Amino acid sequence: MHSINRSLSASLFAPALTAALIVACQVSAHAFDMNGIDVKPRASVTGTYDDNVTFVRDGEIDDFVTRLSAGLEAKAEGKTHSLNVNGNIHQEFFIDNSEFDNTSGDVNADYKQEFDPYNRIRLRDSFLRAEEARTFEEAFNRTQGRYAYYRNRFLFDYMHDFTKQWSLTGRYGNEISEFQRSDIRDSSLNTAGVEALYQHTSTLKFLFAYDFSIRDFQGGSDAETHTLSTGVLYYLTKQLYAEARVGVDFIDAFNNDDFTEPMFRARLTDDINETTSWDIAFEKEYAPTSYTEDIFDYWQVSTTLRKQFNPRWNAYLSGFYGDGDYQTADRTDTLWGANVALTYDITKIWKGTVKYTFTDVNSDLASQEYTRNTIQAGLALQF
């Protein structure tokens, strides 16, 4: 496998971000239609106090970070197809540590096409350039520190309905990860699989799947995984439903060790009413990571609560706990974190946000440990 050339990625990314920012700043102050494409620009400014900008256990550096952001969302819909493209760019300024100033951004695209009542496809692509983990799940197995990385994920699904009850999905995925640290090798992931879905009743569905993946490190080795799984989706009530998947992973690891291990995923979602929703998810699996040539034996649980108090006030609360062992490094990492956010719609297009995030990482390797608190306040313009 060959990874994308890092310097080429950077040279293409910066002009694209600049062009998007110019467009976002020059559009009129409302959503508009352009040849059948619904375009919505947005912009925001946020200030964040970060008590550990370098993710270390000892000698923490705190700073105040100002982020300027601009973005565009474009939607196009027809009778048999739809396209949604969403992009954001961010420029961060550190008051006391200007060497950490950076430009980051993301672009997400989702295309759906229905050929006839029985056949359809879906293509998704997600590109990210950042200098820190965006979620607790990603921070859980990330090599710690402040450094830039690029990640692109592509997914393709082909779906065919044989009957009202039976359907089959074939899928392919590709992920490329590049890191601007000499001690972390770039890696790629290719996946392919097939899944059969049986709808027993309107409230009960069963699935059966086979997936294959190969994680390859540039200048290093690779690991292959074959996964057999089965699952169920069950609506306990109209708003409460459970998803569960169990299976087994057959792994040919980087050091030629073989693993045959169980995997389990489950999620319970409760759309309590129009203003409140809650979910909790659990995951247990052995899997190769994108940062190091090792197998990560982990389990994690996460939960989110969304609440709209009135048409203007919204709240979001999330929590995460994960524990994992690296098989070759003989090391254990534990991460727990929580965040709470409140948003207030000042007007139809102006929105204010305050957010607090806590992250704590414990590890057998001292360089991986850190505790971090961030407090953020921002003002967003959305059309």
Side-chain angles (χ1 to χ4, degrees):
M1 307 283 178
H2 298 284
S3 65
I4 298 174
N5 180 272
R6 180 179 298 148
S7 61
L8 178 59
S9 297
S11 65
L12 292 176
F13 183 59
L17 290 178
T18 303
L21 179 59
I22 292 173
V23 172
C25 292
Q26 289 183 344
V27 296
S28 56
H30 55 79
F32 59 92
D33 185 273
M34 186 171 60
N35 295 325
I37 302 175
D38 183 36
V39 180
K40 295 181 179 180
R42 58 178 173 268
S44 66
V45 57
T46 59
T48 302
Y49 172 74
D50 189 333
D51 72 353
N52 191 355
V53 296
T54 52
F55 312 93
V56 295
R57 184 180 67 175
D58 302 312
E60 299 95 332
I61 299 173
D62 66 336
D63 209 335
F64 186 85
V65 186
T66 300
R67 171 184 280 193
L68 304 178
S69 303
L72 287 173
E73 181 180 11
K75 292 183 178 180
E77 294 187 3
K79 292 182 178 181
T80 59
H81 69 275
S82 66
L83 174 65
N84 190 328
V85 180
N86 199 322
N88 302 281
I89 59 174
H90 315 283
Q91 180 64 49
E92 290 188 332
F93 301 95
F94 289 70
I95 288 183
D96 296 325
N97 300 274
S98 59
E99 66 273 20
F100 296 145
D101 292 355
N102 68 89
T103 303
S104 63
D106 55 85
V107 180
N108 298 280
D110 189 346
Y111 176 75
K112 300 176 183 178
Q113 174 70 57
E114 181 180 318
F115 298 105
D116 56 48
Y118 309 101
N119 297 280
R120 56 198 179 277
I121 62 171
R122 183 179 184 184
L123 293 88
R124 286 162 286 173
D125 192 82
S126 176
F127 175 81
L128 171 68
R129 193 278 186 193
E131 294 201 354
E132 59 186 66
R134 295 294 182 90
T135 65
F136 292 128
E137 287 82 358
E138 185 178 350
F140 180 32
N141 62 16
R142 183 179 190 264
T143 299
Q144 303 306 342
R146 175 170 290 278
Y147 53 90
Y149 68 98
Y150 301 85
R151 179 159 290 152
N152 192 84
R153 291 188 174 106
F154 170 79
L155 295 172
F156 169 79
D157 293 327
Y158 170 76
M159 292 148 280
H160 177 76
D161 296 333
F162 293 99
T163 66
K164 291 183 178 180
Q165 290 181 303
W166 282 101
S167 65
L168 188 70
T169 298
R171 51 188 176 228
Y172 167 76
N174 172 265
E175 175 187 289
I176 296 175
S177 302
E178 298 189 357
F179 310 97
Q180 289 190 338
R181 268 180 56 167
S182 59
D183 61 331
I184 306 178
R185 291 180 176 178
D186 300 338
S187 69
S188 63
L189 175 69
N190 283 279
T191 63
V194 61
E195 180 174 294
L197 179 68
Y198 174 70
Q199 183 165 320
H200 181 64
T201 66
S202 60
T203 61
L204 181 61
K205 299 178 182 180
F206 297 97
L207 62 88
F208 312 90
Y210 164 75
D211 290 279
F212 168 78
S213 67
I214 178 168
R215 170 71 70 178
D216 180 75
F217 282 83
Q218 185 179 34
S221 54
D222 59 57
E224 297 182 0
T225 303
H226 300 264
T227 302
L228 294 173
S229 63
T230 184
V232 62
L233 172 62
Y234 179 58
Y235 280 84
L236 289 82
T237 66
K238 290 184 178 180
Q239 83 279 348
L240 179 65
Y241 59 95
E243 304 169 79
R245 183 187 295 250
V246 296
V248 59
D249 291 322
F250 303 91
I251 304 173
D252 180 6
F254 302 102
N255 56 5
N256 293 322
D257 285 343
D258 292 327
F259 297 90
T260 301
E261 301 293 342
M263 60 83 69
F264 179 72
R265 298 171 190 161
R267 180 182 297 272
L268 180 66
T269 302
D270 190 358
D271 296 324
I272 300 171
N273 52 48
E274 294 182 355
T275 62
T276 307
S277 65
W278 169 82
D279 68 73
I280 185 169
F282 176 83
E283 187 172 334
K284 172 72 175 75
E285 192 170 6
Y286 277 62
T289 77
S290 60
Y291 292 90
T292 180
E293 296 172 59
D294 209 335
I295 303 299
F296 196 44
D297 171 21
Y298 71 94
W299 67 270
Q300 64 186 41
V301 60
S302 60
T303 184
T304 61
L305 173 66
R306 300 171 179 84
K307 174 66 178 179
Q308 182 179 11
F309 296 104
N310 58 49
R312 289 191 170 185
W313 279 104
N314 292 271
Y316 173 86
L317 175 68
S318 71
F320 178 90
Y321 183 89
D323 184 272
D325 298 316
Y326 291 90
Q327 300 304 290
T328 301
D330 192 24
R331 171 181 124 220
T332 300
D333 285 358
T334 301
L335 182 149
W336 73 280
N339 73 49
V340 58
L342 292 172
T343 62
Y344 178 71
D345 295 341
I346 302 169
T347 69
K348 289 184 178 180
I349 61 174
W350 288 100
K351 177 179 294 186
T353 302
V354 292
K355 180 180 179 181
Y356 168 73
T357 303
F358 171 80
T359 308
D360 182 80
V361 176
N362 291 290
S363 175
D364 295 335
L365 185 63
S367 62
Q368 291 295 108
E369 294 189 328
Y370 72 92
T371 299
R372 184 180 183 222
N373 296 271
T374 64
I375 302 173
Q376 181 184 98
L379 186 64
L381 178 64
Q382 298 179 335
F383 305 106

